[in-house]
Amino acid sequence: MRRAIDTLFGRLVVIVIGMLVLSHVAWFAIIRFERDNVQTRFAVEEAVFLVEAVRQHIANTPDQPLPPRVRLVALDSPDVPKQPDEGTPPPLQRFVEDLKDRLPDGTDVRLNEPGGPPSVWVHGAKDAGWVVVPVQPLRPPRSRDRMLVWLALIFSTAVLAALFGAWQLQSPLRALAQAVGRFGRGQPTPPVPERGPRELRQLTHGFNQMVREVSQTENDRAVMLAGVAHDLKTPLARLRLRAEMMDDDKMRDGVVRDVDSMAHIVDQFLVFAHDRPDGSEPVPVDEQCERIARAYRAVSPDAQPIRLKLEAGPAFALPAASLDRLLSNLLDNAHAYGAPPVVIETRREAKGWVLSVSDHGKGIAPDDLIKASRPFVRLDPARGGSGHSGLGLAIVERLARRAGGECEIGNRADGGLQVTMTFPFDSATRPVQERRAGSQHEERAL
């Protein structure tokens, strides 16, 4: 099951949002703590200033009235508040301790009783009574902390900017990954735009250069194979004509069989060298499998029986030419090396359409499975004399990838070789115009 967290963009989003949440929460806590400390220090400095101002006023101008909310109270007045106890809130306790540190030793500091205007009572060793001065509230009541509003606004802006940056970084990587997938399936791969960070541009440039060099090598090999195969067809035709004129029937039949084997190898070369997308019309795979099976029985009455298990339905369609070549190569391979019955099966799975051909022979040794689809590789040296060039499974794999699918070669559990091809839904039913456009593009490139 595909999960969004598995993508680069998803992981970048999780990391960025997680870091933003952590940093904003940390900054919010630090700012709140520092704001409380600054408020406490300011209140202490203000209270010390007022107390010293009152003392200077009493000493210099005792006849002048005191400012509003500043007063002197006798030591034995019943209004004197009690000593702060353990139930005092921590900010107020810290305020009292800081105020005592700023005043001379032995100074008694008390806070006004709750419910009245906030004020502090100070009595020093040289004071005749209590000096009562107002203080600002340490935690003024607020209906809403505006800091949270600003924090949410900044956080939302940062998340949007981070998502845009992550998308800008992920977009060229996704384009490169899609191009790598197309190149791995053997499909035409246009150059990928070189954008993003320097390392990503270098990676994209290297990939584009690799695609150009591989395409040039493939084109050179295709031209060489096509040229050799084309040049051989004329002498093979003359050789067959001369063989038909031989008087010895046994000698004539042997030479004709050898010429037919050579002609089949040449045809395989031409099919393998033809590396352009198939521009033929798509046909329903189930119907085409039935027609090919009937034609195969009619042409080769002594061939192995073919069983059909066609469950895909009419929605499964492939280009007609590619499908004919796929099935003919697989049926010829099963007829030459396998054992009856040969089974052609189609079905629909969650990952795409499935087309498989299997036989009940000995299969291929596990160590040789990886080499089975390599071009010009014959796992049994004795097979070369029957018109086989080692290209059958290589052609099947190339045709399957050219149609947008994947090919898997393996042995059945109860014996025999099984070739399973899986085609994505969008690749198997692509419009014929798209394939023809890709074919014309490659022809212009050549």
Side-chain angles (χ1 to χ4, degrees), residues 130-176:
W130 291 92
V131 178
V132 182
V133 296
V135 293
Q136 63 175 348
L138 296 181
R139 286 186 177 272
R142 294 184 180 181
S143 60
R144 177 189 297 179
D145 195 338
R146 294 182 179 180
M147 228 170 139
L148 292 176
V149 178
W150 283 105
L151 184 66
L153 181 61
I154 295 173
F155 178 78
S156 302
T157 304
V159 167
L160 292 177
L163 293 181
F164 179 76
W167 180 80
Q168 289 288 337
L169 179 62
Q170 181 259 357
S171 180
L173 279 176
R174 182 177 59 182
L176 181 60

Side-chain angles (χ1 to χ4, degrees), residues 236-287:
L236 284 176
R238 291 198 301 264
L239 185 60
R240 182 184 178 89
L241 179 61
R242 293 174 181 174
E244 294 288 351
M245 299 174 62
M246 288 183 178
D247 297 332
D248 190 341
D249 295 341
K250 186 176 181 181
M251 179 69 69
R252 182 181 65 245
D253 293 341
V255 173
V256 169
R257 284 195 301 270
D258 290 340
V259 172
D260 290 340
S261 297
M262 295 174 66
H264 178 72
I265 293 175
V266 169
D267 291 338
Q268 293 286 75
F269 281 178
L270 289 174
V271 173
F272 186 78
H274 179 78
D275 196 24
R276 293 189 296 273
D278 189 356
S280 59
E281 293 289 339
V283 294
V285 174
D286 290 0
E287 296 179 6

Side-chain angles (χ1 to χ4, degrees), residues 53-227:
V54 171
R55 287 173 176 171
Q56 292 293 330
H57 178 82
I58 295 173
N60 298 327
T61 57
D63 299 334
Q64 297 293 330
L66 294 172
R69 296 186 59 189
V70 176
R71 55 197 176 99
L72 294 177
V73 181
L75 294 177
D76 56 354
S77 173
D79 297 333
V80 177
K82 299 178 181 179
Q83 287 280 359
D85 54 13
E86 295 181 356
T88 305
L92 297 179
Q93 293 181 1
R94 187 166 57 249
F95 170 75
V96 172
E97 295 297 330
D98 293 344
L99 188 56
K100 287 182 178 180
D101 292 339
R102 293 285 285 113
L103 294 173
D105 295 338
T107 302
D108 190 3
V109 177
R110 301 182 187 182
L111 297 175
N112 195 25
E113 295 294 338
S119 58
V120 61
W121 297 58
V122 179
H123 173 65
K126 298 180 180 181
D127 294 332
W130 291 92
V131 178
V132 182
V133 296
V135 293
Q136 63 175 348
L138 296 181
R139 286 186 177 272
R142 294 184 180 181
S143 60
R144 177 189 297 179
D145 195 338
R146 294 182 179 180
M147 228 170 139
L148 292 176
V149 178
W150 283 105
L151 184 66
L153 181 61
I154 295 173
F155 178 78
S156 302
T157 304
V159 167
L160 292 177
L163 293 181
F164 179 76
W167 180 80
Q168 289 288 337
L169 179 62
Q170 181 259 357
S171 180
L173 279 176
R174 182 177 59 182
L176 181 60
Q178 292 174 350
V180 170
R182 291 178 60 87
F183 182 72
R185 293 190 296 268
Q187 297 176 343
T189 307
V192 182
E194 299 176 11
R195 52 196 176 96
R198 180 179 61 183
E199 293 81 3
L200 184 56
R201 294 198 305 270
Q202 292 175 349
L203 177 63
T204 306
H205 177 75
F207 173 77
N208 290 334
Q209 185 176 0
M210 179 190 68
V211 171
R212 287 193 297 269
E213 293 178 355
V214 171
S215 299
Q216 185 62 41
T217 302
E218 290 290 332
N219 291 337
D220 294 342
R221 183 176 66 173
V223 170
M224 181 189 68
L225 288 176

Side-chain angles (χ1 to χ4, degrees), residues 20 45 128 159 221 226 269 279 285 323 325 366 371 381 402 418:
L20 286 175
E45 294 296 333
V159 167
R221 183 176 66 173
F269 281 178
V285 174
L323 182 58
R325 290 169 182 168
K371 300 183 294 184
R402 191 184 302 163
Q418 182 173 17

Side-chain angles (χ1 to χ4, degrees), residues 12-34:
L12 285 175
V13 167
V14 171
I15 292 174
V16 168
I17 293 181
M19 294 300 295
L20 286 175
V21 169
L22 181 62
S23 62
H24 279 69
V25 170
W27 275 112
F28 179 73
I30 292 173
I31 291 174
R32 287 295 299 267
F33 178 76
E34 287 298 325

Side-chain angles (χ1 to χ4, degrees), residues 372-445:
S373 61
R374 292 180 181 175
F376 307 106
V377 173
R378 291 193 296 269
L379 303 179
D380 184 1
R383 294 176 177 177
S386 58
H388 294 275
S389 58
L391 284 175
L393 294 179
I395 292 174
V396 169
E397 185 176 45
R398 174 168 290 197
L399 290 174
R401 289 186 175 181
R402 191 184 302 163
E406 294 290 338
C407 180
E408 182 180 356
I409 302 173
N411 292 317
R412 300 172 62 254
D414 52 352
L417 185 69
Q418 182 173 17
V419 179
T420 303
M421 294 158 286
T422 304
F423 301 91
F425 300 115
D426 56 348
S427 297
T429 57
R430 285 183 304 167
V432 67
Q433 291 83 1
E434 181 181 345
R435 293 192 301 274
R436 285 176 176 172
S439 178
Q440 294 172 1
H441 174 75
E442 289 195 356
E443 289 177 355
R444 288 195 297 268

